[in-house]
Amino acid sequence: MITDLTAVHNEIACHARSVRLVTREPHQLTRHDWDSAALVLVDAQTAPILRARPEPLPHRDAVTLLVDPEDQAESDMYRHALDLGASHLVTVPDGASALRTQISMVAESPRMVVAILDPAPTGETGTITTACLALAGAAAGEHLSLLDARRSGVDLHEALTSTRFDPPATGRGSVHALFAPDERPPSGEAIRQMMTDLANQHAVTLVHLDPHQPHTRALLDGLDLVIVPVSSRTATGPTARDVVSAARRHTPHVQVHITGTDPHGDVAEAIAAGAGAGYPSMSASARGAASGESGHGSAALAGGSHHRRLWEVIARHRPGIGRTT
């Protein structure tokens, strides 16, 4: 990546989870850097400096010009792209999904970050959902990371360690979990750094976030999937709709997971009706999966079928080499 701005580096780094990202200032760029990189990302503000080099850089297919929304009106923007041989011009952060697609094509092992956003004030359904996803991933043989950054009436660490769920013989995965301290919650910047660190280590990272915290929406940029768990017994439609709508402004991949006694009833219809064009996909779980039922969701934690249904949601959105994320 060619930029002299730390902010641009930090913004792009969250999308390059499975790729080694090397940053060069335009005056430090060598011909070897340009020729050897699998993908070259050029900050549009540095493009005039590159164009003014005494020895022009050769055109390459794998060059992308990164444009800030405020720069789009500049008349020379497309001239910069043509002179540098850029095959793509991506506006960030609006074009984050297109950027992730390009990066996934050069990644040997594409990474995936999934956020769980529970609209309910207690966060218990989100905690149970996060635990079930972690158990399901381990059962599928995945080595996952998990970041619990939300207070809840259910102890996620206790839920994971006290539940007996034997993975199948073909899959022996693991879960590496980090728990944010309750007495001094971390800042949004600290959570972002922890998410990046975990995503660099594991193929799938689960992040349990509080959608009502002001820094959460900024953390959704760069995510591959958002799961909104809703209990049909306790959740209110408008609150869930607000969370879904906010998530969809950051990623088109939003899954509403409805649990409780009537998963296809009024709650599902209310959320879909308020989500706008391109409804988020829906899934339903059996009775007892929601928090507050069967001893804080113990039935859901012990039920392998519930785990598998949740894991199928992630499996459908897994990025692949050359696939759209």
Side-chain angles (χ1 to χ4, degrees):
M1 183 170 66
I2 306 169
T3 183
D4 54 4
L5 299 176
T6 303
V8 174
H9 168 84
N10 293 339
E11 182 174 10
I12 303 305
C14 67
H15 304 290
R17 292 184 290 266
S18 53
V19 174
R20 178 171 174 260
L21 182 67
V22 177
T23 301
R24 293 284 188 267
E25 295 185 8
H27 295 295
Q28 297 175 333
L29 180 70
T30 67
R31 177 66 182 272
H32 176 73
D33 292 331
W34 181 267
D35 291 339
S36 62
L39 178 66
V40 179
L41 306 175
V42 180
D43 177 6
Q45 294 189 34
T46 70
I49 301 174
L50 297 180
R51 291 179 60 192
R53 287 169 63 105
E55 296 183 5
L57 293 164
H59 287 190
R60 292 200 51 195
D61 292 336
V63 176
T64 293
L65 194 66
L66 303 177
V67 183
D68 185 276
E70 296 181 358
D71 296 333
Q72 283 189 323
E74 186 176 334
S75 58
D76 283 344
M77 194 57 59
Y78 288 100
R79 176 57 57 189
H80 294 334
L82 289 173
D83 282 1
L84 294 174
S87 57
H88 295 83
L89 191 150
V90 175
T91 302
V92 290
D94 298 347
S97 61
L99 183 61
R100 287 199 303 274
T101 297
Q102 288 183 272
I103 293 174
S104 71
M105 294 176 69
V106 301
E108 294 182 2
S109 176
R111 305 305 199 221
M112 184 178 189
V113 177
V114 181
I116 296 90
L117 304 180
D118 182 358
T122 62
E124 293 180 0
T125 301
T127 302
I128 297 300
T129 299
T130 304
C132 289
L133 284 169
L135 292 169
E142 295 280 357
H143 298 284
L144 303 94
S145 56
L146 186 158
L147 174 60
D148 184 19
R150 179 177 185 178
R151 293 186 179 186
S152 169
V154 176
D155 189 314
L156 181 55
H157 179 265
E158 181 180 349
L160 287 173
T161 55
S162 63
T163 303
R164 296 183 59 85
F165 180 67
D166 297 327
T170 56
R172 299 287 179 178
S174 64
V175 180
H176 175 73
L178 289 180
F179 300 91
D182 288 339
E183 62 275 9
R184 183 178 293 180
S187 64
E189 291 78 7
I191 294 176
R192 167 67 76 184
Q193 186 60 55
M194 286 187 282
M195 289 169 57
T196 301
D197 291 344
L198 290 173
N200 285 331
Q201 301 173 38
H202 299 91
V204 178
T205 298
L206 307 175
V207 187
H208 184 212
L209 298 172
D210 186 346
H212 306 296
Q213 290 296 319
H215 59 242
T216 296
R217 292 188 181 184
L219 295 172
L220 298 182
D221 286 328
L223 295 187
D224 301 290
L225 174 65
V226 173
I227 295 178
V228 181
V230 178
S231 168
S232 61
R233 291 184 63 235
T234 60
T236 57
T239 302
R241 287 202 306 269
D242 292 343
V243 172
V244 170
S245 297
R248 281 178 54 79
R249 284 193 283 271
H250 296 269
T251 174
H253 305 300
V254 179
Q255 171 84 23
V256 178
H257 190 74
I258 301 173
T259 64
T261 57
D262 186 19
H264 295 292
D266 295 339
V267 174
E269 294 179 4
I271 294 171
Y279 296 157
S281 52
M282 299 276 179
S283 64
S285 295
R287 176 184 177 90
S291 62
E293 299 179 31
S294 303
H296 292 302
S298 58
L301 282 169
S305 61
H306 177 63
H307 300 169
R308 286 190 293 272
R309 279 194 293 272
L310 273 169
W311 189 251
E312 288 171 0
V313 174
I314 289 183
R316 289 197 300 271
H317 290 84
R318 291 292 294 273
I321 303 298
R323 277 183 50 199
T324 299
T325 53

